[in-house]
Amino acid sequence: MAWLGLYNYWVVIFLMMAGFYAVITRGNLVKKIVGLNLFQTSVFILYISMSKVQGGTAPIVDNEFAIYSNPLPHVLILTAIVVGVATTALGLALVVRIRESYGTVEEDEIHHLDKSF
Amino acid sequence: MEHLIVIVLLSFLAITAVAIVMLHDLVAVVMLFGIFSLLSAVIFLVLDAVDVAFTEAAVGAGISTVLMLGTLALTTPKEKTSPRFAPIPLLVVIITGAALVYGTLDMPRYGDPTAAIHQHVAPRYLERAPRETGIPNVVTAVLASYRGYDTLGEVTVIFTAGVGVMLLLGSPRRQTKRKRGKR
């Protein structure tokens, strides 16, 4: 059952690749941003999976507990989540702006309009 | 037992991700993405990352979903093109995924207390942070005290993104254009 210890990482890779696939194949810009977010969240799960210690508890120090999970990845991912939502907001603002200029959010139509211009 | 819960939740996540990629109704996609974020918040909770869990539930599942729904209201809720089967991207994704899976074979197993990540600076924080900062929650102590400059940098990033969004959507030129459009 040694492979079960790697199950978390494999699901994370599957989620990552699902997001990656959405980014490269879907023409709709909103769908692309959802794919990017999927990728991002899977990286968060990867980091938090690594921080877990068997038999540990949340890293809030108390005399009752001796083993804690690693707090460092938690700090990194807290920062990453907030930065992630900032980039999502900027990306979505760009989508709204593109829609106003081109009248569409489909990539192939935007390319077509660019060529005919 | 705890790992069993994580395994079941991760399987739910995988199913949600497939549905997100396959569906064409963007409102449904955004709602599923909210479910995805909430599920990952539950996983963070089970994996002892309580601070990350409530941030993900508030920011990932809450604010992101609202922002995406707002964008759909301003654009269109339907994905227009019906994507045909694309073999080359699928091949690229499978090869990348296989390379990453190969990379995980050397990684420490789930919950292994002897993993390299648990040896260096983390024990020091766990041992001294409550005494040095007076905060029992080590995550808060590291975030706001030991790595306060990182958090300042984070605030700078959010400020820059906020300014960017305001410049993109709130410029006076655009508002006059919109008024003209209404007339």
Side-chain angles (χ1 to χ4, degrees), chain A residues 1-62 66-101 103-109, chain B residues 2-3 6-8 10-11 13-15 17-18 20-24 26 29-30 33 36-37 40 43-44 46-52 55-56 59-60 63-64 67-68 70-72 74-76 78-81 83-86 89-90 92-94 96-98 100-101 104-105 107-113 117-119 121-122 125-126 130 136-140 142-143 147 150-151 154 157-158 160-161 164-165 168-169 173-174 177-178:
Chain A
M1 291 294 268
W3 61 271
L4 209 60
L6 294 173
Y7 182 82
N8 283 30
Y9 305 135
W10 292 345
V11 173
V12 162
I13 289 168
F14 177 78
L15 298 176
M16 238 182 232
M17 289 306 116
F20 185 34
Y21 184 76
V23 171
I24 57 180
T25 58
R26 296 297 183 255
N28 187 294
L29 295 177
V30 178
K31 192 77 177 273
K32 268 185 202 290
I33 287 179
V34 172
L36 214 57
N37 266 306
L38 214 67
F39 196 106
Q40 201 177 24
T41 311
S42 65
V43 175
F44 301 162
I45 299 170
L46 176 72
Y47 268 67
I48 301 297
S49 290
M50 289 194 283
S51 80
K52 172 73 181 163
V53 177
Q54 202 69 56
T57 181
I60 301 170
V61 176
D62 193 272
I67 310 170
Y68 300 101
S69 288
N70 194 333
L72 217 54
H74 300 182
V75 177
L76 297 178
I77 296 311
L78 268 181
T79 310
I81 288 175
V82 177
V83 169
V85 87
T87 49
T88 305
L90 200 61
L92 291 172
L94 275 170
V95 171
V96 172
R97 192 73 192 78
I98 286 169
R99 157 83 180 187
E100 273 174 9
S101 295
T104 174
V105 289
E106 301 287 336
E107 203 181 38
D108 49 347
E109 290 173 17
Chain B
E2 213 175 65
H3 195 197
V6 177
I7 287 172
V8 171
L10 281 171
S11 309
L13 271 188
I15 296 165
V18 170
I20 288 174
V21 176
M22 291 301 160
L23 281 178
H24 294 303
L26 289 175
V29 166
V30 170
F33 181 72
F36 184 88
S37 285
S40 54
I43 288 178
F44 295 151
V46 179
L47 294 177
D48 297 340
V50 282
D51 306 73
V52 182
T55 311
E56 175 70 29
V59 173
I63 299 176
S64 285
L67 286 175
M68 282 175 187
T71 310
L72 290 185
L74 288 172
T75 58
T76 165
K78 273 274 176 223
E79 197 178 1
K80 231 183 273 173
T81 44
R84 64 228 161 268
F85 180 69
L90 196 66
V92 168
V93 162
I94 287 172
T96 318
L100 287 172
V101 167
T104 62
L105 296 180
M107 282 182 73
R109 298 301 186 266
Y110 170 83
D112 185 2
I117 184 177
H118 305 309
Q119 305 304 324
V121 69
Y125 280 141
L126 281 169
N137 187 341
V138 183
V139 175
T140 314
V142 175
L143 191 78
R147 301 204 178 259
D150 283 6
T151 308
E154 176 194 340
V157 170
I158 298 163
T160 315
V165 170
L168 277 169
L169 297 182
R173 189 169 55 89
R174 184 171 160 274
K177 211 192 240 173
R178 193 194 263 170

Side-chain angles (χ1 to χ4, degrees), chain B residues 127-152:
Chain B
E127 194 186 319
R128 299 209 199 152
R131 250 187 299 132
E132 283 178 352
T133 60
I135 305 166
N137 187 341
V138 183
V139 175
T140 314
V142 175
L143 191 78
S145 176
Y146 293 108
R147 301 204 178 259
Y149 281 115
D150 283 6
T151 308
L152 184 67

